[in-house]
Amino acid sequence: MSNNTNKRVSIVERKTNETNISVKINLDGQGKGNIKTGLPFFDHMIEQLSKHSLIDIGLKCDGDLHIDSHHTVEDIGWALGNAVNKALGNKKGIKRYGFSYLPMDECLTRCSIDVSGRPWLIWNVFLPAVSIKDIETEIFKEFFQAFSQAASLTLHIENLYGTNTHHIIESCFKSLAVAIRGAISIDLLNKENIPSTKGTLTER
Ligand SMILES: [Mn+2]
């Protein structure tokens, strides 16, 4: 999907023996999420991502939850990141960088993004509880790792302080949402240009 159509939308279908995922996104949406992952807590997180980024996200996943949540959470990161990368096309006119400090009651999380075409994750997040509902909390790093790789962006997420595991995880998704909203938004003062001295954000 290129930006020639001016519609920054994409559809990604991803099917393996472990998960069957379909994602449909609109980067210039209204934050409407229709999320069915089979994991209510994770639905809640992706809904937050949609709501605060204004990216419309339709997402359905049939995953091997009888094993655990690992494949479902990680593979959704791949599919969603891939959808974002496709919808961005040649990245002409985007602001490229995005930042947020996201407070949530007792915790504060910082997210910094460069839509660079060079995938990288910094994850300075300690999660006190081992699991939330049926989800082992260590899997959330894998979501952000897969998302940053597939979306081809530099993503730094750091929890500066906090004690409640639900809040810390949710603040990571919300801080990503706010930062990516800025990074992918169109810079009206530079909308005909690709914001790179290299001239491209799709080649490394
Ligand atoms: Mn919550």
Side-chain angles (χ1 to χ4, degrees):
M1 167 75 54
S2 79
N3 276 4
N4 296 338
T5 60
N6 285 333
K7 285 246 189 262
R8 300 197 301 170
V9 299
S10 71
I11 293 173
V12 167
E13 311 276 347
R14 187 183 192 281
K15 190 174 189 311
T16 70
N17 289 338
E18 295 170 343
T19 56
N20 186 0
I21 301 171
S22 60
V23 186
K24 187 177 176 197
I25 67 166
N26 177 5
L27 298 184
D28 301 298
Q30 298 171 297
K32 288 184 189 154
N34 184 2
I35 318 294
K36 292 186 174 63
T37 69
L39 296 164
F41 179 79
F42 194 44
D43 288 354
H44 180 45
M45 294 301 107
I46 304 296
E47 280 164 9
Q48 299 288 2
L49 178 58
S50 172
K51 175 65 76 178
H52 297 290
S53 68
L54 299 184
I55 300 173
D56 290 342
I57 301 176
L59 169 63
K60 188 170 186 325
C61 176
D62 289 317
D64 55 1
L65 295 175
H66 58 285
I67 296 175
D68 68 6
S69 61
H70 192 110
H71 303 137
T72 294
V73 173
E74 183 178 13
D75 291 1
I76 286 172
W78 282 109
L80 204 50
N82 194 0
V84 167
N85 196 34
K86 271 176 81 176
L88 279 170
N90 66 6
K91 304 173 184 171
K92 190 172 86 174
I94 64 167
K95 287 183 178 164
R96 177 175 170 178
Y97 298 100
F99 319 94
S100 70
Y101 278 86
L102 202 296
M104 210 174 149
D105 292 355
E106 89 297 345
C107 90
L108 182 69
T109 295
R110 175 171 63 202
C111 179
S112 309
I113 289 179
D114 177 5
V115 186
S116 57
R118 295 191 307 277
W120 200 278
L121 176 71
I122 298 290
W123 176 257
N124 286 339
V125 180
F126 173 73
L127 297 168
V130 173
S131 68
I132 287 194
K133 274 235 151 168
D134 298 330
I135 308 178
E136 290 174 3
T137 54
E138 66 179 11
I139 188 57
F140 288 105
K141 179 187 177 184
E142 306 311 318
F143 170 85
F144 289 95
Q145 179 71 268
F147 181 81
S148 64
Q149 295 289 314
S152 206
L153 47 83
T154 306
L155 175 61
H156 294 204
I157 299 186
E158 298 157 277
N159 177 244
L160 304 184
Y161 44 81
T163 54
N164 179 285
T165 302
H166 183 121
H167 288 162
I168 295 171
I169 295 168
E170 187 165 340
S171 70
C172 291
F173 282 89
K174 283 178 164 174
S175 68
L176 170 62
V178 174
I180 205 169
R181 176 179 171 182
I184 66 174
S185 65
I186 299 299
D187 186 341
L188 295 177
L189 298 177
N190 197 35
K191 63 183 181 190
E192 296 305 324
N193 298 309
I194 291 166
S196 165
T197 54
K198 192 160 60 175
T200 176
L201 291 171
T202 53
E203 300 289 332
R204 282 174 217 172

